[in-house]
Each structure stands twice: as structure tokens, then as C-alpha cells.
Amino acid sequence: MAVTTLHRPAHRDALGLLESAFGDGRLVTAFGRCTVEYDGRAASSLGPGDRLVVCKPDGAILVHTDGGREPVNWQPPGCTHRASVRDGRLRIRSERTSPSEVLDVAFERIEQVTAYEVDDRKDLTLTGSEEDLRRRILDEPDLVEPGFEPLATERETAAGPVDVFGSDEAGRPVVVELKRRRVGPSAASQLRRYVEAVDEEFPDEGVRGVLVAPSVTDRTAALLDERDLEFVALEPVGGDEDS
């Protein structure tokens, strides 16, 4: 299991790890002094305190204190995790749309943040990297879809670099986001940001977005469908395609 830990990081360094981990569908823990705000079916606020926050790839989030076994606040699977730095605080925001609920955790001080590549699915064995996945697509573009033509890799956009940029059989721009392992809702949000950025460059050309990964969670599949994005099941190296 690959683990990345930052001890007492600057907010910007912690933000970089969180954004990467949420996009890759990793399990995240963060510990530090924070406040917690919830708005949804009710509303609640927690003042400053030292707390452990657990963000799971399926969209669940748990906020723990040093007492008891139950979290003091939580959101169920199906939420989308996002991170930002605003007003001098590192913020983790977990949001879902049905019902509409938002949980905001704002760290004034972060002691430790850790991202784990966890695989507890006994039927899933993955090897390789995103670079291996990229090579597979460049060697066999039809793995994305018949007629797909790769035009650039790591193409810069206002939202960040796109893994593979190309065009479909009809000449429409296609943004391809690659993930080497099963991913959660954050991957759908990341792809949407890339598509929106490319759409500003190519207005009215029907920019498409395709997420390529071994598999996605049910919530991620629903989000992709809601946002008119697509999914192709593909492993980095060998093996059968995992649905």
C-alpha cells in the first residue's frame, strides 16, 4: 500500500496532496485544529478544536474528536470532496445534491495529512501506472472509441494539464482523463473542470469528456451521466477490462 504523509505542512502543500488524492480516489486522513460547519436538512457549527478528519473514496467523510467511537459530524457515501485555501485556512468541503447537504471543515493549523492507496477489493488486482495507461491509448486509440485520434498529452488548460487531448470521428474535441485505479466522485468533478476549460477554447464545438479507469463507484457513474461525461473501463497493463 502506497502512503504519502506530510507533517505540519504549509496549507498550499497540504492542498496539493488533497487535490491529488481526491482526484485519484485515495483515502485521506487529516489532523489539526479546525472548525466544522454543516448546512443541509439542519444546521450545526463546531468551534475550534483538534480533530481527525477521514475522507473516503466513496464520498463519505467523518470528523472525530478524542472521545467516543462515533464521529461528531459526518456525511454518507456519495458526496464530492474538494479542497481549497481561503482566508488563511485550509478547507475541506464535502457536498451532495440529493438531499442538498454541505460539510465544511476549516483548518487553522494542520498537523498531519496522509493519503493512502487502499485496495480492499479481493477481486481487483491492478498493476501499472497512469503512464502505462497513456501508452496503451496512444498505441491503440480505438481503446477509447473507434475513430479517436490523440493530438496531445499533458495539454495545458486553464484548469490544469489534460492527460490526453484528441478528437473523435466527427472532429469534436475530446478530453481524456486517466486513472490507474478505481475512482470516486472527485474524478468526475475533475474531468468536468477540464471539459469546461477546453470548451472556452473551442466554443460551440461540443467538447466531450471521457474518464478512463479500471472501474468507478456507483456514485461516480451517476455523476458522469448527469454531467454528460463518459466512462471507458481500461486497466493500465494487460488483464480484462473491468466493468
Side-chain angles (χ1 to χ4, degrees), residues 60-78:
I61 183 172
L62 309 170
V63 181
H64 285 279
T65 64
D66 61 350
R69 67 176 185 178
E70 299 295 332
V72 294
N73 217 325
W74 62 281
Q75 287 273 66

Side-chain angles (χ1 to χ4, degrees), residues 2-26:
V3 179
T4 303
T5 297
L6 300 179
H7 296 281
R8 295 187 177 178
H11 286 352
R12 286 293 173 184
D13 293 334
L15 174 64
L17 178 57
L18 289 172
E19 288 183 328
S20 173
F22 291 158
D24 293 343
R26 285 179 276 173

Side-chain angles (χ1 to χ4, degrees), residues 151-162:
L151 300 175
T153 61
E154 295 297 320
R155 183 187 185 277
E156 288 294 336
T157 73
V162 169

